[in-house]
Amino acid sequence: MGAASPDSGDLIVVEPARPGSPVAVVTINRPAALNALTKPMMVSLAAAFRRLGADDGVAAVVLAGRGRAFCSGVDLTAAEEVFKGDVKDVATDPVAQMELCRKPIVGAVAGFAVTAGFEIALACDILVAGRSAKFLDTHAKFGIFPSWGLSQKLSRIIGPNRAREVSLTCMPVTAEMAERWGLVNHVVDDTEVLNMAIEVAEAIARNNRNLVMLYKSVINDGFQLDLKHAQALEKERGHKYYSGMTKEQFSNMQKFIQGRSSKPSSKL
């Protein structure tokens, strides 16, 4: 991965987690507006994930927001431009591009993740939250119809009763609640959110990159199915994977496993 890639007037910044790291950090960089998304920012964010998904130098992605919020949603001063006719535009839809991205995405949520920001958080594969993090769905408050998946994803993660209460009352979900309900993987001090997210992403990056991408895909695709069909999907893809391996690749796998068995495991 190359040097920092600023987009949309530096409002979306892409850079390596550390020099030479295979982990890319995407930062929503509009802190004065609590990282509210304009249409150009949405286009740039979608393009960033499209680029990173195709970059062989990138093994995993961290998504963060600069300042006091992860993302406070769509900038409603440009609501008509953002919403009208655009909900089916996959190319400029950041959530759609995150879902299409083959690389694992770790969300670093410090502060508020509101409505569209909540939906962007739900498009991450793993979530690290700061203790001050709050997830809010305000679609019902402002008369905005959800179109980035919140109405369907949240209930599948925390259960339909909790999801109905969160979305219909517009109640905030604190970091503590989010961890208890299985919405986030880790809760840490606010100052450690980005570091922890990078640590998780780097643990992913140390593994077989091709298998990581295939594993993410089979988990996410299988989650859309009932258990019987999801297990059949795993069998089908497993057969395809092993059928495509040569004797040399099997031999290399065995050598790699033998070599790894003598090394200490990571702390994650």
Side-chain angles (χ1 to χ4, degrees):
M1 183 175 60
S5 173
D7 293 292
S8 190
D10 290 329
L11 298 180
I12 303 295
V13 179
V14 182
E15 55 195 346
R18 315 176 203 280
S21 172
V23 173
V25 178
V26 178
T27 304
I28 305 171
N29 185 32
R30 197 187 177 205
L34 299 179
N35 296 323
L37 298 172
T38 62
K39 179 63 176 178
M41 290 172 68
M42 290 166 54
V43 172
S44 293
L45 190 58
F49 278 101
R50 195 161 55 248
R51 285 198 308 272
L52 294 171
D55 189 338
D56 291 337
V58 174
V61 182
V62 170
L63 177 61
R66 185 152 290 142
R68 296 185 297 114
F70 172 72
C71 175
S72 62
V74 170
D75 188 332
L76 295 181
T77 62
E80 184 173 358
E81 177 192 10
V82 170
F83 296 126
K84 204 165 187 178
D86 285 347
V87 294
K88 292 184 178 180
D89 187 359
V90 174
T92 60
D93 182 335
V95 168
Q97 292 304 318
M98 289 172 72
E99 291 171 344
L100 289 169
C101 182
R102 298 182 69 205
K103 314 297 172 63
I105 302 168
V106 183
V109 181
F112 290 97
V114 183
T115 313
F118 197 166
E119 293 180 295
I120 287 172
L122 290 175
C124 296
D125 298 295
I126 296 167
L127 286 175
V128 177
R131 300 195 193 283
S132 71
K134 286 186 173 62
F135 299 85
L136 283 131
D137 179 7
T138 62
H139 284 101
K141 184 182 291 292
F142 296 111
I144 301 168
F145 199 92
S147 58
W148 281 357
L150 204 158
S151 68
Q152 303 305 308
K153 290 180 180 177
L154 187 62
S155 62
R156 285 162 170 78
I157 297 170
I158 68 173
N161 286 4
R162 285 174 175 156
R164 281 189 284 264
E165 184 175 7
V166 169
S167 296
L168 302 184
T169 68
C170 304
M171 64 175 276
V173 178
T174 65
E176 181 184 355
M177 293 163 65
E179 184 178 38
R180 190 167 67 246
W181 292 353
L183 178 61
V184 303
N185 298 70
H186 303 277
V187 175
V188 298
D189 290 340
D190 288 359
T191 55
E192 292 302 313
V193 173
L194 183 57
N195 288 337
M196 182 64 181
I198 290 172
E199 186 178 334
V200 172
E202 288 181 336
I204 292 169
R206 287 191 287 270
N207 295 320
N208 182 301
R209 294 190 190 181
N210 182 50
L211 200 284
V212 163
M213 290 188 293
L214 293 173
Y215 213 147
K216 167 182 167 167
S217 176
V218 76
I219 291 172
N220 290 359
D221 292 348
F223 194 66
Q224 310 301 316
L225 307 172
D226 61 76
L227 181 59
K228 179 180 179 180
H229 289 94
Q231 288 177 316
L233 177 71
E234 182 192 72
K235 288 281 189 186
E236 177 187 338
R237 293 191 184 179
H239 177 74
K240 180 179 178 181
Y241 178 75
Y242 289 119
S243 295
M245 288 180 67
T246 63
K247 288 185 179 295
E248 182 181 6
Q249 286 174 319
F250 272 109
S251 177
N252 289 339
M253 178 196 290
Q254 290 168 332
K255 290 176 184 176
F256 180 76
I257 292 169
Q258 289 167 353
R260 292 282 288 186
S261 64
S262 62
K263 296 180 182 179
S265 61
S266 69
K267 58 185 175 181
L268 275 174

